[in-house]
Amino acid sequence: MRSDDNRWNDGAELREKAEWILQKNGAGKSKELESMSSGEIFQLLHELHVHQIELELQNEELRQTQSELETARARYYDLYDLAPVGYCTLSRQNLILRANLAAAKLLGKTRDELINKPISRFILPEDQDKYYFFRKQLFETEQPQESELRMVGSDDNQFWAWLYATISRNDEGDHICRIVLVDITDRKQAERDLKQREKRQRLAVEIASDFLNNPINQMDRTIDNGLAKIGKNLEADRSYIYETTGENQIMECKYTWYASNLRDRPDNNMNKPVEISTWVYGQILDHKPVSITDINDLPEKAVSDRKKFKSQSFRSILWAPMIVESYVIGFLGIDSVQAKKEWTDNDIMTMQLAASIVASAIKRVKTEKELIHQTFHDQLTGLYNRTFFEEESKRLNVERQLPIGLIIADVNGLKLINDTFGHEKGDELLKKVAEIFQNTCREEDIITRWGGDEFLILLPQTGEKEAREICDRIRKNCSKANDLEIPISIALGHSIKEDLDDDIYSSIDEADEVMYKNKLVESRSVKGNVLKALLNTLRSKCHETEEHAWRLQKMSRKMGEKMDLPSTELDRLFLLVTMHDIGKASISEEILVKTGELNKEELEIMKKHPERGYHIASATDEFSHVANEILHHHEWWDGTGYPDRLKGEKIPLLSRITAIVDAYDAMTNSRPYNKGQLKTHQEAIAEIKEYAGSQFDPELVELFLELYEDENGID
């Protein structure tokens, strides 16, 4: 509002002006006043006074209105300047006429610096055309317009702006443009994030759907398609999958995709197996993604990684571990080789999600393949099983596969080997036989484990001559196999299915009959070879010599002759002292040669050898007649021995003789467990005397002493 002094000065000026006008126009009026009566003059003065008051009241209202107008204008400019959004007034020529503080801050200039500057200077070149059509539409329609543009602020920082513009006229009647500027960068980022999330979810759904809906036999193609989608989605040059092998010490590249615009594909270095001892692979094994914008920025401890990546043309990489049940089975990777690429958080999340889906799919495929393999393969040998043969024989029963050869093979002496050497050795033998079949037969032949010790080989397009030749090669390769301590012997029989209507199982029965005849012929020699191998194994494990066997044979035979035993019993006694410890062949060498005392568990294992020897001898016609004596050669006269705690004469006679001569030889000759504890002849005789009636048959002890008490009695 104006001050009182200003108001007084304005009043004085108005009075002077009024006096001048009165003098100019009212000269004749004064004569009229002279002719008026005093009452009329008084009335006139009253009217003038009232009129003056009216004018003063009007002036006061005008002054009040002017004050309110100035207050409103000040408030408007305060609101304009201090508004949280930017306001600009532009000329028709696109020059900034006025800008508030928010607009100045957005554009990175002072308000004075903005005046008469074209606003297009602050719009990115890529959006200039968009702004041009925005202004054109505004002035042509004179209707409010809005648009979203990218603009440049302080320090060349880019931001997204929402523009809302209207048209009006200034005091001179010229068109002006009023624009609202709002920073919508956060909103645009949120929109981008939302789109990326939706994009990521669509990608995940597509990949997951492909893996779920496509059959296992198309899984390689499904993975290739998935890699292509991942690579294109993330704008990578390559995408690939590495899987761990060799107890997680090696990773191999299993699948690779290349972008179509990749001019020069790198060499095959990336397809070579890599050791995972480096820093980058360590991150993967720690379940961490690896995001590298520039390979040169790898840490110092990743020098070897940097060198290798450069050799493979990597510039930027993004890897995500593939994890199944807390174990890393490999990683899903993408890279850029044409230019550096800065991977976003959304890219990393996309890769982690995709890696999880791919890992689950790979695990599912492996599990289903394992189930299929177990369904159609023998777990021990890895050969096909009977179920597979039954299915495959139907498929091969067509005219073009005829004639079909069939070979039945039976491993001779497997039960004896299991009983003597143990089932572990028997399994080794079966696996070796399977290996021989695989190395001997042709690729198209179907090799099946038919039963416990039987194998069946189906030979497509094979006649009599070829089938016989294959059998001969199998026998030859079995005889040449020398990497097992057990000799390999196989009974073979073959037959030929000539006609499509012939029942294949009849052909199998025919081959089985031939095989059984061969087995009867070979059985005796096979068992002899197995026992020979057993004795060699026993001597090797126990470090026993042929001299030991010779001494036992000599002492026992002399006792038998002194007792007038018939020759058949002498022969049995000779065989018994030779074979009595055959059961030890299946006991570990560690126990057999232990120098100290056996612990309780080891002693129990050692006490099993008479029973094992019994089963071995019982399995062969040649030795079954001494099996019972082998079983009881550790029984004691007083009934405290093992395994059946027989007492006195219930213990077989030959077992009692063997017990005495074996004890004497063990005390007087070096064995692994008695080194440094050998007894003299007299000490051994004294101990045998001491245990007469408890461990040994007292009458047989007297006979032994009669023959050998004199030291010269034993050579």
Side-chain angles (χ1 to χ4, degrees), residues 394-411:
K394 296 174 185 176
R395 186 183 69 83
L396 293 175
N397 192 33
V398 293
E399 193 71 38
R400 64 184 179 86
Q401 298 293 349
L402 295 177
I404 296 176
L406 292 159
I407 297 176
I408 284 282
D410 187 288
V411 180

Side-chain angles (χ1 to χ4, degrees), residues 333-555:
I334 59 175
D335 63 51
S336 176
V337 299
Q338 301 183 94
K340 289 187 294 186
K341 183 172 178 60
E342 186 172 351
W343 312 107
T344 66
D345 290 342
N346 187 75
D347 293 337
I348 296 173
M349 288 189 288
T350 300
M351 283 291 288
Q352 288 177 305
L353 181 59
S356 175
I357 295 171
V358 173
S360 298
I362 290 175
K363 176 63 176 178
R364 180 176 68 87
V365 170
K366 287 184 176 180
T367 300
E368 292 187 17
K369 284 184 177 180
E370 287 173 2
L371 289 174
I372 293 174
H373 187 275
Q374 290 174 8
T375 301
F376 294 111
H377 288 77
D378 173 56
Q379 291 188 1
L380 176 64
T381 63
L383 299 177
Y384 292 119
N385 60 16
R386 194 167 189 150
T387 302
F388 179 84
F389 177 87
E390 290 171 351
E391 294 294 326
E392 194 69 3
S393 61
K394 296 174 185 176
R395 186 183 69 83
L396 293 175
N397 192 33
V398 293
E399 193 71 38
R400 64 184 179 86
Q401 298 293 349
L402 295 177
I404 296 176
L406 292 159
I407 297 176
I408 284 282
D410 187 288
V411 180
N412 291 321
L414 181 63
K415 183 179 185 305
L416 178 60
I417 291 168
N418 285 333
D419 290 341
T420 55
F421 288 92
H423 286 274
E424 184 177 345
K425 290 294 183 182
D427 290 346
E428 286 182 14
L429 177 62
L430 288 172
K431 287 189 282 188
K432 182 62 181 179
V433 168
E435 181 185 329
I436 291 172
F437 288 153
Q438 290 172 316
N439 293 335
T440 305
C441 294
R442 304 162 303 184
E443 185 176 350
E444 63 270 21
D445 297 337
I446 308 299
I447 308 169
T448 305
R449 187 178 179 195
W450 196 242
D453 56 0
E454 283 190 339
F455 296 84
L456 175 60
I457 305 173
L458 188 148
L459 311 168
Q461 301 178 6
T462 304
E464 172 68 27
K465 180 182 178 182
E466 292 171 296
R468 191 180 298 277
E469 289 174 351
I470 292 173
C471 287
D472 290 341
R473 289 202 302 269
I474 291 173
R475 292 189 186 96
K476 183 178 179 181
N477 290 336
C478 286
S479 64
K480 289 165 59 178
N482 55 9
D483 52 347
L484 292 178
E485 56 187 296
I486 308 168
I488 298 177
S489 174
I490 299 177
L492 297 171
H494 72 276
S495 65
I496 306 297
K497 173 179 160 61
E498 301 279 1
D499 195 284
L500 199 61
D501 294 330
D502 291 345
D503 181 19
I504 196 167
Y505 289 98
S506 297
S507 299
I508 293 174
D509 290 341
E510 182 182 338
D512 192 60
E513 287 181 15
V514 176
M515 180 274 295
Y516 185 71
K517 291 177 182 178
N518 291 333
K519 189 176 183 70
L520 290 177
V521 173
E522 299 167 3
S523 178
R524 184 178 297 273
S525 63
V526 167
K527 291 178 179 178
N529 289 336
V530 171
L531 286 172
K532 183 179 179 181
L534 271 173
L535 289 172
N536 290 336
T537 300
L538 179 60
R539 288 168 183 163
S540 174
K541 283 183 175 181
C542 296
H543 303 282
E544 292 181 349
T545 63
E546 292 184 4
E547 287 77 9
H548 164 68
W550 177 82
R551 288 192 298 271
L552 295 187
Q553 292 164 2
K554 184 176 181 180
M555 285 189 290

Side-chain angles (χ1 to χ4, degrees), residues 13 64 79 115 146 175 200 219 251 259 281 318 323 343 346 350 444 484 489 509 516 535 538 597 617 619 714:
E13 291 176 0
Q64 184 65 31
L79 290 173
I115 302 303
E146 59 181 289
H175 280 101
R200 182 171 71 242
M219 193 53 61
M251 283 195 182
Y281 294 102
L318 175 55
I323 303 170
W343 312 107
N346 187 75
T350 300
E444 63 270 21
L484 292 178
S489 174
D509 290 341
Y516 185 71
L535 289 172
L538 179 60
E597 289 188 9
I714 300 178

Side-chain angles (χ1 to χ4, degrees), residues 89-91 93-97 109 111-122:
T89 302
L90 308 180
S91 68
Q93 291 73 32
N94 200 35
L95 300 178
I96 299 174
L97 302 176
K109 303 290 183 181
R111 296 169 68 185
D112 290 340
E113 288 173 337
L114 291 176
I115 302 303
N116 290 326
K117 297 291 190 304
I119 196 170
S120 56
R121 177 182 295 180
F122 301 97

